Amino acid sequence: MKTFAAIAPVLALVAAAVVSAPAFAADLTVEFPTAAPQGQIMVALFGSEANYGGEGQPVRYAMVDAAGGQKSATFEGLPDGDYAVRAFHDLNGDGEMNTNPFGMPTEPYAFSNNAVGNMGPASWDRAKFTATGVAVQSIDLK
């Protein structure tokens, strides 16, 4: 009984650590099956409506080398939760999403869930998805 009394505080700390540890998704893979084999695809992953709306920074970034034959990006070790993706295909390699004089994109772009915006980017509600375990988003650049 004295042994249990001696290790009880340690067991309590271990139990607290396990309970408070965040849940992680194995990974999130974002695929671009229709991407042309040129330039890079710039991918931004957002973890909240505020970030998606421009407050703060994306959770993660990735650059997919479409010219080198890549068509996906994987984000590992994400906490389970809601996310949204914004991506554009930088065809000319200048690192920017090019637009016409009216501000309309001239390079392909897309959002998670293949969501479509109305006179602007797709809304968080349309683009968000839940990532738990292994998650895949297949996005068509347009």
Side-chain angles (χ1 to χ4, degrees):
M1 201 53 134
K2 289 183 182 180
T3 304
F4 179 75
I7 64 168
V10 173
L11 291 175
L13 286 174
V14 170
V18 169
V19 169
S20 65
F24 289 100
D27 59 56
L28 165 64
T29 300
V30 182
E31 300 173 340
F32 301 95
T34 61
Q38 69 186 82
Q40 305 91 14
I41 302 168
M42 309 303 217
V43 185
L45 178 67
F46 298 89
S48 71
E49 185 172 8
N51 286 138
Y52 185 78
E55 295 178 27
Q57 297 295 314
V59 173
R60 305 247 182 108
Y61 294 97
M63 183 181 76
V64 176
D65 182 11
Q70 290 183 325
K71 289 199 172 202
S72 66
T74 299
F75 300 98
E76 296 179 342
L78 294 170
D80 288 345
D82 289 339
Y83 293 91
V85 170
R86 289 184 182 198
F88 76 93
H89 196 157
D90 183 17
L91 296 171
N92 62 5
D94 67 356
E96 299 178 7
M97 183 164 71
N98 300 126
T99 59
N100 67 19
F102 300 105
M104 300 296 295
T106 58
E107 293 180 302
Y109 64 94
F111 306 94
S112 43
N113 295 332
N114 286 308
V116 179
N118 185 12
M119 300 300 290
S123 69
W124 167 259
D125 289 333
R126 288 182 178 179
K128 77 175 176 178
F129 60 92
T130 301
T132 59
V134 176
V136 176
Q137 274 285 313
S138 183
I139 301 174
D140 295 324
L141 293 158
K142 298 174 185 158

